[in-house]
Amino acid sequence: MNFCSDNVTGVAPEILAALAAANAGAAASYGADVITERLTRRFSDLFEREVTVFPVATGTAANALALATLTPSYGVIYGHRDAHFQVDECGAPEFYAGGAKLAMLDGEHGKISAATLERAVFGKGVVHHAQPASVSLTQATEAGTVYKADEIADIAEVCRRHGLALHVDGSRFANAVAALNRSPADLTWRAGVGALSFGATKNGAMAAEAVVFFDPAKAADFAYRRKRGGHLFSKMRFLSAQLEAYLEDELWLKNARHANRAAGRLADGLAAVAGAKLRHPVEANEIFVELPEAVIRGLLSDGFEFHRWPDEASTCIRLVTAFDTDARSVEAFLASARRHGGASRAGRAR
Ligand SMILES: Cc1ncc(COP(=O)(O)O)c(C=O)c1O
């Protein structure tokens, strides 16, 4: 009944079991344990090349520490106006990067384009201007859409021309990979991505994200930044155990496919509700839909939980599905919406 966020979920049983298993006995501290050591191999296999991996406990730390590593204090970080790192991280990227400047770009459905980025980059080599340094894309985006591999490659080409590092906030990377049915490599380094915040918390972990660098040379000072930022966990094995279990037997993709399917079903079902209008294409596990006020109130009075978006005054609501979304809750939500709204004449929410 709760569609507020994929953060309201508990922990996937496989990950809880891995935590319990990691709890046996003593283990070396600060990442020198065997589970953490295994992670590099696991992530390198997953991405089909040698990568450097740093577990942290929050998405904000992953983004801010990665961006700080890629951006000098006098640099500019480009990203979508609605990107989490721009609006929801309380200035963490600027703080960790020692005052770097954020440049907000517009773009439909939560995505920036190569052309918009090209137009925005300016001042390179001019001492009076903050220096273009890095770009961050969110995958899946805050609008519930995904960047296709060729869209990433086009943006990466602009980055290459201007000497910008390309980071991906993959808080919902699993949902994007599941939606696009492309390999993790195709959606990252093969398309020109330099670093990825690989999320796990929203998709079944308790608290674990991995910062992945595709060029180990670029990761040289990350370890010091992580320690200084308070994210070098002494009992690192517990973060690493979550990430290892997350990758095991493709749990990360299985969970994401489940969440995406539930979102697809909600989007299809909302098509039968009079007055429902999707604000963005539903491509991953988030839905933004405008509904008549009576329907929203009816759903709330029936006990469903969700956020109005972007604020309480709105008649657009955000629904987020997750690895544990129950099919019965989805059907109950749709039945409630139909009951309060009546059937759509048009037949499809668009
Ligand atoms: C796209 C995106 N990136 C990063 C984060 C940050 O994660 P955390 O809340 O763990 O810092 C979130 C959290 O909602 C998010 O939605």
Side-chain angles (χ1 to χ4, degrees), residues 5-7 57-63 83-85 88-89 138-142 169-172 197 201-202 209 286 318:
S5 168
D6 36 15
N7 280 325
T58 70
T60 300
N63 287 344
H84 198 273
F85 82 95
D88 284 315
E89 294 181 1
T138 314
Q139 179 78 311
T141 73
E142 287 78 3
D169 171 358
S171 191
R172 297 187 178 88
S197 301
T201 307
K202 294 178 196 310
E209 318 274 311
E286 293 188 87
R318 185 188 78 165

